[in-house]
Amino acid sequence: MARSIYVTSPEGNTGKSLVALGLVDLLSRSVARVGVFRPVARSADRDHVLDLLLDHDGVNLSYEQCVGVTYDAMIEDPEAALARIVARYHEVERACDAVVVVGTDYSNVAGPTELAFNSRVAANLGAPVVLVVSGAGRTPAEIQQIAEVSAGALAEHHAQVASVVTLRTGGGQLDAVREGVSAALGVPAWAVPTHPLLDAPTVRQLMDAVGGRVLAGDEELLDREVLDVLVGAMSIEHLLDRLVDGAVVITPGDRSDVLLGLLMAHQAEGFANLAGIILNGGFEPPAPVQRLVEGLGTRLPVLLTDRGTFRSASAAASTRGFLSKESQRKVDTALALFEQHVDGGALLAALEVPRPSVVTPLMFEYTLLDRARSDVQHIVLPEGNDDRVLRAASTLLQRGVARLTILGDEAAIRARATELGLALDDADVIDPHTSELLERFAEEYTRLRAHKGMTVERAREIVASVSYFGTMMVHLGLADGMVSGAVHTTAHTIKPSFEIIKTAPGIQNVSSVFLMGLEDRVLVYGDCAVIPDPTAEQLADIAISSAATAAQFGVEPRIAMLSYSTGASGSGADVEKVREATALVRERRPDLSVEGPIQYDAAVDASVARTKLPDSSVAGRATVFVFPDLNTGNNTYKAVQRSAGAVAIGPVLQGLNKPVNDLSRGALVQDIVNTVAITAIQAQAQAAARRASAAEADPVASPAAAGA
């Protein structure tokens, strides 16, 4: 039976979708199959809360499966609606390990009747309640009183409050609210501060509110958040001083002077970066002015509405934003607030969610993010001209996964990030061509490549390339790792690391692995991207490096040296190469569990293993697979990815002194996020190894010895 959690509020506009999203995200790290359910959904339009939750990677259900009844049905016959809700819920429950149930919305202020209905639904589903209370404009004592009254109302209908989350709490009241509510109700309680971005509408929402259409600009930017609305009826010289970043300006359509002034200010340095312009009154700019607007090449959305100034301004001012899947920045902000202010482990304990017995791809991805956050590393991203990289950077920064340096023209990068509504204020942006580091890097590169006849003049040209510049940052300790390849080729990304960073002690070859997320476990495949036809010595290197990589990411390394023959059953040059490589691994690392040559079926299938290699500790339970050549490895990982629905994370480069990782040029934003987290974890491991080596070399100076 799935564990269900019921999220409800005693009033409308509390922001409980933030808590619901945080719970879905939290549960996705803990159980294999997460479900969502909306007992009562809007009848006219699709429910944006449900759409938001269904968009999460951890949920694999259709919209229709997750709806109980409409508001009309609930009002017409509450008893029949309740029976329908319970029946529909159990259909979802059977397919899931845990279900987040999001209670009804409120069209007005506090409504005890609606809270009573939520109480009955929660009781009938057997779901503990996470009560969400709004702290907006309230004192800690008032919040505590609302929580007590609401908990009492829920208890009257046999619903049990397991925890309380107060949203939109004043910054200085967090501790008082949390402690007061927890003491009053005897359950865990948390308080989350207010964040203006979460209530900000998008340009698209304002366009719909005023009944407008796009006259000029990039429609992709309609999903940017609006942080202020201004009426621009005054002259442009007075209006310029009132502009702020993220503002939408409403101005009459026949004020061509204001329109052109706003567009020029938006594009000029030193002025605010606007979110949009609304031309009201139904006046289109004259044809010459429209040609001039087109000539400016603006991407800023310019909208046109037939409404007058007052009606347009009133409609825009009353438009409330909400958390939706269209705004990745809002989603990242909401998740970051939840992670920072709600103790996920304590919440799961209060809800009695059991520990998982399997590791799904999504659970593994969340483990990567959590581990990266545990010791934040500094990663350099050379491809600041790619929107995917900027979107990933925004997510990484808001979720606290890494510190970032982005390479490229700073003005262009920050302008594009603002256009896309991304949060990159905490990122360092460096232009290699103008950086004061250029000369230092050129001198160091000249020293490293002196044996190749390198000169400082030539080195200046080389290290100005973003890949070389980023690699030099890692080499000199100005960054802990680098991730590139969304735009550039693999060779462009990793060639500088071969020249500058070089291989780790005891390793002669750089190779790669893919972390293959199957339905219930993670396997390691190597090498699938770097060495085309490895020798026996190179295969041994790949096996040892792959075992270390597996251990870094929580996979117990049991190495299968793959061949078309198992044990002593076959012969030939290809089999002998694998046999020799296996012997080298055992000689160099007798502590590792390794078997080879072995066929894939004997490596993964216990029944086959009992027949072919009954005494092997690896056969039937291998976790690290070393392929005999790149042709086999690359095709196998793609076959498993496409045919078995596995999630392939990588390639992860291994064997380098410091971590550099390559992306596919078709990488998605989440791929970039995952690769940065992997790079950070590699950097953590290498830093720990260096500390341990230093302590061994000089135990008196080590922190452990000093503490003793």
Side-chain angles (χ1 to χ4, degrees):
M1 177 183 293
R3 187 60 172 162
S4 58
I5 301 111
Y6 200 97
V7 183
T8 192
S9 306
E11 59 188 323
N13 299 332
T14 58
K16 67 178 179 291
S17 56
L18 181 151
V19 176
L21 178 64
L23 280 168
V24 169
D25 192 69
L26 181 62
L27 288 167
S28 296
R29 315 177 199 185
S30 309
V31 300
R33 301 171 301 169
V34 180
V36 296
F37 187 69
R38 194 79 151 122
V40 184
R42 295 175 175 83
S43 55
D45 303 308
R46 282 180 68 94
D47 189 285
H48 73 267
V49 175
L50 189 52
D51 273 335
L52 169 71
L53 302 180
L54 288 171
D55 192 57
H56 193 282
D57 289 339
V59 182
N60 187 27
L61 298 167
S62 70
Y63 183 93
E64 290 71 21
Q65 285 178 281
C66 303
V67 174
V69 298
T70 64
Y71 272 90
D72 292 341
M74 181 189 75
I75 294 169
E76 181 180 345
D77 189 342
E79 296 304 318
L82 181 59
R84 172 69 172 166
I85 287 168
V86 172
R88 294 283 293 166
Y89 164 77
H90 284 300
E91 293 175 12
V92 172
E93 181 196 37
R94 284 191 288 270
C96 302
D97 299 311
V99 183
V100 176
V101 185
V102 187
T104 63
D105 294 327
Y106 293 74
S107 57
N108 209 317
V109 294
T113 302
E114 196 157 346
L115 182 61
F117 186 80
N118 279 291
S119 306
R120 295 183 64 201
V121 175
N124 277 276
L125 301 186
V129 172
V130 176
L131 179 65
V132 181
V133 177
S134 173
R138 290 169 174 159
T139 66
E142 290 171 335
I143 294 169
Q144 179 180 324
Q145 182 182 23
I146 290 171
E148 288 184 281
V149 171
S150 301
L154 288 162
E156 285 182 15
H157 296 279
H158 311 293
Q160 177 188 359
V161 175
S163 63
V164 180
V165 180
T166 303
L167 300 180
R168 300 191 174 102
T169 312
Q173 299 180 332
L174 296 178
D175 291 340
V177 169
R178 183 175 59 248
E179 293 166 5
V181 173
S182 181
L185 271 65
V187 299
W190 295 278
V192 179
T194 189
H195 197 294
L197 178 70
L198 296 181
D199 291 324
T202 63
V203 179
R204 188 184 304 277
Q205 286 177 276
L206 292 193
M207 180 178 71
D208 293 340
V210 302
R213 61 180 177 85
V214 177
L215 181 68
D218 188 347
E219 293 196 22
E220 181 184 352
L221 304 184
L222 291 176
D223 292 318
R224 181 180 173 183
E225 293 79 15
V226 178
L227 302 181
D228 197 7
V229 177
L230 303 173
V231 176
M234 64 190 72
S235 62
I236 186 63
E237 61 266 27
H238 295 129
L239 182 58
L240 290 176
D241 289 334
R242 291 169 167 79
L243 301 181
V244 295
D245 284 343
V248 162
V249 180
I250 300 174
T251 190
D254 58 358
R255 291 293 303 272
S256 299
D257 58 328
V258 174
L259 170 63
L260 295 175
L262 290 173
L263 292 175
M264 293 175 68
H266 172 74
Q267 294 179 331
E269 289 189 29
F271 286 90
N273 190 291
L274 300 177
I277 300 171
I278 298 177
L279 303 179
N280 67 270
F283 302 111
E284 285 198 26
V289 174
Q290 292 200 41
R291 288 201 305 272
L292 184 53
V293 170
E294 293 173 5
L296 289 173
T298 184
R299 295 168 56 85
L300 181 69
V302 179
L303 313 177
L304 185 67
T305 176
D306 291 335
R307 297 186 184 183
T309 300
F310 177 77
R311 290 182 61 207
S312 297
S314 297
S318 62
T319 302
R320 186 179 65 87
F322 50 80
L323 189 56
S324 70
K325 66 179 183 178
E326 283 76 22
S327 175
Q328 187 60 44
R329 186 180 178 188
K330 280 190 177 183
V331 170
D332 290 335
T333 300
L335 291 175
L337 287 169
F338 188 87
E339 291 167 349
Q340 292 164 13
H341 298 282
V342 177
D343 185 335
L347 180 54
L348 290 181
L351 298 171
E352 299 179 354
V353 176
R355 292 181 62 84
S357 58
V358 299
V359 179
T360 68
L362 193 61
M363 291 161 66
F364 181 69
E365 288 179 3
Y366 279 120
T367 300
L368 295 179
L369 299 185
D370 284 340
R371 288 187 58 190
R373 269 192 292 260
S374 69
D375 180 13
V376 174
Q377 302 291 299
H378 184 179
I379 308 300
V380 58
L381 302 174
E383 298 166 320
N385 59 336
D386 189 279
D387 284 356
R388 293 168 297 167
V389 172
L390 298 183
R391 292 182 189 278
S394 179
T395 294
L396 289 160
L397 290 169
Q398 290 192 269
R399 303 290 296 278
V401 177
R403 291 186 294 120
L404 299 178
T405 292
I406 304 171
L407 301 186
D409 179 85
E410 181 169 12
I413 287 172
R414 295 205 183 277
R416 182 57 177 160
T418 302
E419 282 186 342
L420 296 173
L422 304 177
L424 295 186
D425 290 346
D426 293 334
D428 293 327
V429 181
I430 297 176
D431 186 342
H433 293 93
T434 60
S435 172
E436 60 185 17
L437 294 170
L438 186 63
E439 193 64 25
R440 177 185 175 189
F441 289 0
E443 291 174 359
E444 175 66 6
Y445 186 71
T446 302
R447 184 187 69 80
L448 292 172
R449 305 293 289 175
H451 63 290
K452 294 290 187 180
M454 182 58 57
T455 65
V456 173
E457 291 74 17
R458 175 66 180 135
R460 287 193 193 99
E461 297 178 12
I462 293 173
V463 299
S465 164
V466 290
S467 290
Y468 274 92
F469 194 94
T471 304
M472 289 299 299
M473 288 186 66
V474 176
H475 168 65
L476 292 174
L478 302 176
D480 300 308
M482 183 178 87
V483 173
S484 187
V487 176
H488 298 100
T489 64
T490 296
H492 192 282
T493 297
I494 66 176
K495 182 175 180 287
S497 64
F498 292 165
E499 296 178 0
I500 298 168
I501 293 176
K502 302 182 180 177
T503 57
I507 299 295
Q508 299 298 316
N509 302 281
V510 175
S511 57
S512 73
V513 296
F514 277 87
L515 303 170
M516 302 296 294
L518 303 182
E519 185 177 357
D520 59 351
R521 63 192 186 279
V522 176
L523 304 177
V524 178
Y525 284 10
D527 174 13
C528 303
V530 179
I531 304 176
D533 188 14
T535 64
E537 291 78 9
Q538 288 174 321
L539 279 178
D541 258 6
I542 293 168
I544 292 169
S545 294
S546 299
T549 300
Q552 280 181 1
F553 296 104
V555 178
E556 182 183 351
R558 294 186 291 271
I559 309 167
M561 306 293 287
L562 297 174
S563 174
Y564 60 77
S565 173
T566 295
S569 65
S571 61
D574 291 337
V575 177
E576 290 305 320
K577 179 177 76 169
V578 175
R579 187 170 286 122
E580 181 184 349
T582 305
L584 287 171
V585 174
R586 287 173 175 154
E587 178 185 332
R588 291 168 55 187
R589 290 291 305 276
D591 57 308
L592 292 176
S593 297
V594 60
E595 188 66 69
I598 185 172
Q599 293 162 289
Y600 194 96
D601 59 347
V604 299
D605 191 312
S607 61
V608 176
R610 283 192 294 270
T611 302
K612 294 189 175 183
L613 286 173
D615 299 323
S616 173
S617 62
V618 173
R621 51 199 297 268
T623 57
V624 177
F625 298 81
V626 178
F627 295 93
D629 53 55
L630 188 58
N631 183 47
T632 307
N634 191 272
N635 278 292
T636 302
Y637 104 75
K638 288 181 178 176
V640 174
Q641 179 187 30
R642 301 297 179 183
S643 300
V647 176
I649 303 174
V652 179
L653 296 184
Q654 54 190 16
L656 288 168
N657 248 324
K658 294 184 177 180
V660 171
N661 278 308
D662 181 38
L663 297 165
S664 162
R665 275 172 283 178
L668 303 176
V669 171
Q670 189 59 45
D671 297 330
I672 301 171
V673 170
N674 289 340
T675 304
V676 169
I678 285 170
T679 307
I681 293 168
Q682 289 178 311
Q684 292 171 355
Q686 291 184 354
R690 287 192 292 271
R691 288 193 295 268
S693 178
E696 185 177 342
D698 187 4
V700 176
S702 72

